[in-house]
Amino acid sequence: EPEVTQTPSHQVTQMGQEVILRCVPISNHLYFYWYRQILGQKVEFLVSFYNNEISEKSEIFDDQFSVERPDGSNFTLKIRSTKLEDSAMYFCASSELTGREQYFGPGTRLTVT
Amino acid sequence: KQEVTQIPAALSVPEGENLVLNCSFTDSAIYNLQWFRQDPGKGLTSLLLIQSSQREQTSGRLNASLDKSSGRSTLYIAASQPGDSATYLCAVCPYGNNRLAFGKGNQVVVIP
């Protein structure tokens, strides 16, 4: 069964460094998303992406964040200058169409020291 | 802003008992509602999706109901097993956008 994959599974970085989290959505899906979950808190929406541009973003998704689909399969989330409070589990998801079931990847645990 | 609440936050049941997990949301203008399972430190596994026009959805031992007008959904797990121990998350997709709004989850322990 097709699934969303994410790499790396765990990333440790120092404050102020740039990180890129990678995702491969399900191949025939058109909508891609990033969410994050800070330990002990709710899963929060960050951004959605369709037709090579951002379709929605939350207040969390400020200028430090960017997303890109560099080729036909990968979808990336870049954090330009990491802060301690960026430590969280980051989930990528995809859906076939708008308003449809979203399928989540296994997540990347980001630890900022 | 859509707010999603799940009650109870945690529960323990003996193996074989039926589980009833509740989710409430504040805005009834939704596309759909999804129930997910999350194991500790792991990703989210989609269990059931209920479209806004549906009243319930079933998959094996799982049954989810939706009462959109009152802003409630219930997940029933029949004849619980130790392998059902996990956190169950409810997420609502608001009408007009794709940003899922999640509850904090129901943490379930099934005691053998």
Side-chain angles (χ1 to χ4, degrees):
Chain A
E1 185 172 326
E3 58 184 18
V4 176
T5 59
Q6 290 185 244
T7 54
S9 57
H10 191 189
Q11 172 101 38
V12 182
T13 190
Q14 288 191 325
M15 201 166 52
Q17 295 296 305
E18 175 183 287
V19 294
I20 297 177
L21 310 183
R22 291 183 165 79
C23 167
V24 178
I26 294 173
S27 63
N28 63 333
H29 286 187
L30 301 179
Y31 288 80
F32 315 122
Y33 315 90
W34 285 100
Y35 292 81
R36 78 172 185 190
Q37 186 178 33
I38 294 171
L39 191 64
Q41 297 189 23
K42 292 183 179 183
V43 176
E44 303 171 288
F45 170 83
L46 293 177
V47 66
S48 62
F49 192 85
Y50 169 71
N51 200 24
N52 282 321
E53 59 184 30
I54 291 173
S55 50
E56 301 166 71
K57 60 182 181 179
S58 72
E59 320 69 56
I60 303 166
F61 194 88
D62 60 23
D63 292 344
Q64 293 295 329
F65 292 89
S66 62
V67 288
E68 195 179 27
R69 187 149 164 86
D71 53 44
S73 59
N74 288 285
F75 179 51
T76 62
L77 174 70
K78 183 193 291 186
I79 309 175
R80 228 176 307 281
S81 176
T82 50
K83 307 185 197 92
L84 293 176
E85 54 265 36
D86 293 327
S87 294
M89 184 77 108
Y90 287 81
F91 294 109
C92 175
S94 67
S95 67
E96 197 175 0
L97 295 169
T98 189
R100 295 288 179 90
E101 189 167 4
Q102 293 186 23
Y103 293 86
F104 281 69
T108 292
R109 180 168 298 285
L110 177 65
T111 303
V112 183
T113 62
Chain B
K1 184 184 170 188
Q2 181 74 263
E3 293 290 338
V4 181
T5 305
Q6 292 187 246
I7 294 171
L11 70 159
S12 296
V13 298
E15 183 178 358
E17 264 197 23
N18 297 331
L19 280 162
V20 181
L21 308 177
N22 295 301
C23 170
S24 61
F25 48 96
T26 52
D27 188 344
S28 61
I30 63 170
Y31 266 137
N32 59 54
L33 183 146
Q34 271 184 265
W35 281 94
F36 294 88
R37 171 184 170 136
Q38 184 176 32
D39 292 287
K42 303 289 187 184
L44 308 178
T45 302
S46 181
L47 297 173
L48 289 168
L49 173 96
I50 313 179
Q51 298 290 356
S52 62
S53 57
Q54 296 177 309
R55 298 282 294 185
E56 67 176 333
Q57 193 66 257
T58 298
S59 175
R61 292 185 296 115
L62 306 180
N63 175 277
S65 66
L66 174 64
D67 184 343
K68 201 173 66 159
S69 59
S70 66
R72 293 180 195 209
S73 176
T74 301
L75 179 68
Y76 301 90
I77 304 178
S80 60
Q81 303 168 357
D84 295 330
S85 298
T87 297
Y88 292 84
L89 301 177
C90 166
V92 171
C93 184
Y95 188 78
N97 66 65
N98 286 303
R99 49 172 83 191
L100 291 182
F102 281 82
K104 211 168 175 189
N106 305 107
Q107 187 176 7
V108 171
V109 174
V110 180
I111 304 162

